[in-house]
Amino acid sequence: MLIDLVIGGLSGVISRTLTAPLELYKIQRQNAFIPNSTIRDVLKKEGLRYLWKGNATNCVRVFPQTAINYGVFEFTKKHIFSSIENEQIKNLFAGSMGGGVSITLTYPLETIRSRLTLQTCNSHYRGLLDACRSIPMTDMFKGLRMSILGFAPFTALSFSTYFTYREYLEKNTNWNKDIIKVVGGGMAGTTAVTITYPSDLIRRRLQLQNFDKSVPKYNGIIDCVKKIVANEGIIGLYRGLPASYIKLFPTIGIQFLAMERLNQCFK
């Protein structure tokens, strides 16, 4: 299991670092009410390297998160759900377990990453340690329940559909194996986020409570949904979805490719 943890962690760091500007763009679209939350503003006011702002914290977060996610997925698949004959259902259950456990254990880092990403010129925090000291513990865990409800099925759908897409592409195309893994992973991520996207947007809004005066006030998940629908319509729950597609396709594709390549190296 230690090898699985290392494989999961490294694949997460590699994929997130390569696609960090796309992640910034996605979070900005989800929270467009925050001042200076566009790529143009970042380039103009902060500079090119700030397209990766928050990425160091994201890597600190994503290494244990994807490590635990993949490690729990492999462990439960082999030892808890091994009696299930249908491989797709087995991947679904194991992926759900991995997603739920990993997001719970690493959630405060997710909150910090969101806030560091949306600030301008260190307007709120000077870095990870300053954010840890400044953000109240109650704010650190805002949106956790929504994350569990959304991230567990997201991970479950990602793992279960990835192997299905990969097998289909292997049978019906003559593409290079690495391209098949990237495209299969991208299709899996796109499928998962299409179904679970509102949970990601709600989680992000709750994470930002007390961050900035421009952030609307919400009193929990239900209140958040009601106010978004009242002010922005149903489509408000899907704000930033196109940006999420742009970010997720290469991110999840690279992550699955890295997982399989690292498996070959380590095992």
Side-chain angles (χ1 to χ4, degrees):
M1 188 171 180
L2 177 60
I3 293 176
D4 288 332
L5 290 172
V6 173
I7 290 171
L10 288 176
S11 64
V13 169
I14 292 168
S15 62
R16 267 59 175 191
T17 299
L18 291 176
T19 60
L22 298 177
E23 173 70 6
L24 171 64
Y25 177 63
K26 185 197 85 168
I27 295 176
Q28 288 176 335
R29 293 303 86 220
Q30 287 180 329
N31 305 281
F33 46 79
I34 292 179
N36 303 314
S37 58
T38 68
I39 294 294
R40 180 178 294 179
D41 285 327
V42 172
L43 291 172
K44 182 178 179 180
K45 297 175 184 287
E46 300 175 275
L48 180 63
R49 71 186 182 91
Y50 281 89
L51 293 179
W52 277 263
K53 63 179 177 177
N55 186 58
T57 301
N58 197 27
C59 289
V60 172
R61 172 196 70 89
V62 84
F63 187 94
Q65 186 182 88
T66 53
I68 295 168
N69 195 344
Y70 184 65
V72 172
F73 169 78
E74 287 291 331
F75 179 84
T76 55
K77 183 178 177 181
K78 294 173 184 175
H79 302 288
I80 297 179
F81 303 119
S82 57
S83 60
I84 299 176
E85 294 184 1
N86 187 298
E87 193 69 18
Q88 193 168 14
I89 294 176
K90 187 190 298 184
N91 290 332
L92 190 70
F93 286 167
S96 180
M97 287 285 289
V101 173
S102 63
I103 194 67
T104 301
L105 294 178
T106 62
Y107 192 75
L109 289 170
E110 172 69 28
T111 298
I112 293 170
R113 185 282 300 259
S114 294
R115 294 183 175 216
L116 292 177
T117 299
L118 287 170
Q119 70 174 358
T120 302
C121 297
N122 297 328
S123 55
H124 292 76
Y125 316 106
R126 292 188 298 275
L128 173 59
L129 294 179
D130 183 46
C132 288
R133 289 191 295 263
S134 304
I135 301 173
M137 189 55 64
T138 53
D139 285 0
M140 286 281 200
F141 288 92
K142 285 187 182 295
L144 175 58
R145 282 179 294 176
M146 190 72 260
S147 289
I148 295 173
L149 292 173
F151 192 69
F154 173 84
T155 306
L157 289 166
S158 294
F159 276 113
S160 62
T161 57
Y162 167 67
F163 295 105
T164 301
Y165 286 135
R166 191 187 68 181
E167 289 176 10
Y168 175 83
L169 292 171
E170 287 174 345
K171 291 179 181 178
N172 294 278
T173 69
N174 295 319
W175 295 349
N176 177 278
K177 289 184 178 181
D178 287 344
I179 294 176
I180 287 175
K181 291 168 185 174
V182 171
V183 173
M187 292 171 67
T190 301
T191 299
V193 79
T194 299
I195 296 170
T196 64
Y197 185 76
S199 69
D200 184 60
L201 182 135
I202 294 166
R203 177 267 304 267
R204 197 80 63 188
R205 295 284 181 92
L206 293 174
Q207 282 178 340
L208 295 173
Q209 294 299 287
N210 305 318
F211 166 67
D212 190 88
K213 291 180 180 179
S214 62
V215 179
K217 298 293 182 183
Y218 304 117
N219 185 26
I221 296 171
I222 295 176
D223 183 56
C224 182
V225 172
K226 287 180 177 178
K227 287 180 177 176
I228 291 174
V229 172
N231 296 324
E232 306 173 52
I234 292 292
I235 196 154
L237 295 173
Y238 293 88
R239 181 179 295 279
L241 180 57
S244 191
Y245 286 146
I246 293 170
K247 175 259 176 180
L248 263 179
F249 194 96
T251 300
I252 303 300
I254 292 168
Q255 181 174 310
F256 275 111
L257 173 61
M259 279 181 182
E260 298 217 23
R261 282 298 190 92
L262 290 167
N263 256 302
Q264 294 171 3
C265 293
F266 284 105
K267 295 183 178 181

